[in-house]
Amino acid sequence: MENNELPADVALMWRLRAAPRRGPKPSLTLDDIVAAAIAIADEEGDLGAVSMARVAERLGNSTMALYRHVKSKDDLFVLMSDAALERPEPLPDGIDWRTGLTFWADGVLSAIRKHKWYAKVPISGPPAGPNNLAWFDLALGALRDTGLPEEAKVGIVMGLITYVQGEIRVAFDLAAGFDENPAAFQQYGATLARVVDPRVYPSVAKLIDAGVFETDTSFEEDNDADFDFGLQLYLDGVAAFIDRVG
């Protein structure tokens, strides 16, 4: 790749890949292909359900017709991960940085929850697609009045992305486990109580005695509470950093 050329995946996401000059005019578009792939993944709740052949079948085209637009399934996954996230809502007027980042994190959580397969998309680099970049820009914008150096803003946002993505991926995996065997989750505290020796696991034993693993709330409510608790801890650290640097 020459220095003035865009990486292939970036050119693809921004629709800057050169169109073929020869042959008949394509009967479908790249957006058609991505929308069909997302629909299949949403219906099955599984990224593994997406194949070039299945997408082609849904669109009433040959698999070779797809390859005029997308070179591989990995390219298709890249496009899906950007398109599914959609553009964010603008930050509300007159809010502070902490409210802005909370708004951002809740927005990401809401957007990704629409697509159970999203957490299985490989992360191969920083935000580069138009939709992912719009979310990145929104989070940076929440920090614009903090007086922080630009590189510090990037560090804060990348750390927040790591937290949010990590929590979402763990939550999706746990949700799948809960759907498969809810009793294992509901009886977790009682199960531990039978095997945990307080002399060997004193801190875990305190949790059991305190009833931490006993809850009347739903699995999703527990996940929401855990997500918000961790988010606020992270933002507490950001607040301390802003106070120290400012």
Side-chain angles (χ1 to χ4, degrees), residues 30-89:
L30 188 56
D31 289 338
D32 294 332
I33 296 169
V34 175
I38 289 174
I40 292 170
D42 284 345
E43 290 167 7
E44 300 292 337
D46 181 11
L47 188 64
V50 177
S51 68
M52 299 293 273
R54 190 166 180 186
V55 173
E57 181 182 5
R58 172 163 295 221
L59 292 169
N61 278 263
S62 68
T63 304
M64 289 306 300
L66 268 63
Y67 284 108
R68 289 174 58 88
H69 300 272
V70 185
K71 290 183 178 180
S72 69
K73 189 166 66 173
D74 287 342
D75 278 356
L76 183 56
F77 288 167
V78 168
L79 290 165
M80 291 170 64
S81 68
D82 193 67
L85 200 52
E86 303 178 348
R87 291 297 180 102
E89 295 292 327

Side-chain angles (χ1 to χ4, degrees), residues 4 34 98 110 115 122 160 215:
N4 62 347
V34 175
R98 185 170 189 136
S110 177
H115 309 286
L160 185 56
T215 177

Side-chain angles (χ1 to χ4, degrees), residues 2-3 16 19 27-28 45 54 62 74 77 80-81 94 99 119 129 131 135 138 174 192-193 197 200 242 246:
E2 296 180 4
N3 290 335
L16 297 175
S27 60
L28 73 161
R54 190 166 180 186
S62 68
D74 287 342
F77 288 167
M80 291 170 64
S81 68
T99 305
N131 289 350
W135 284 94
L138 188 74
L174 289 175
L192 289 187
D197 184 337
V200 182
I242 291 174

Side-chain angles (χ1 to χ4, degrees), residues 98 101-110 112-113 118-119 123 127 136 139 154-172 174 220-238:
R98 185 170 189 136
L101 290 182
T102 301
F103 175 88
W104 179 92
D106 289 342
V108 173
L109 180 63
S110 177
I112 294 180
R113 270 185 173 166
Y118 195 96
I123 299 176
F136 189 44
V154 172
I156 289 169
V157 173
M158 292 306 296
L160 185 56
I161 289 173
T162 300
Y163 170 74
V164 172
Q165 289 275 4
E167 284 293 306
I168 289 172
R169 287 168 185 258
V170 170
F172 277 17
L174 289 175
E220 187 170 307
E221 287 174 329
D222 284 343
N223 278 338
D224 286 346
D226 290 344
F227 178 85
D228 188 62
F229 179 72
L231 174 63
Q232 297 310 317
L233 284 181
Y234 181 81
L235 296 181
D236 284 346
V238 174

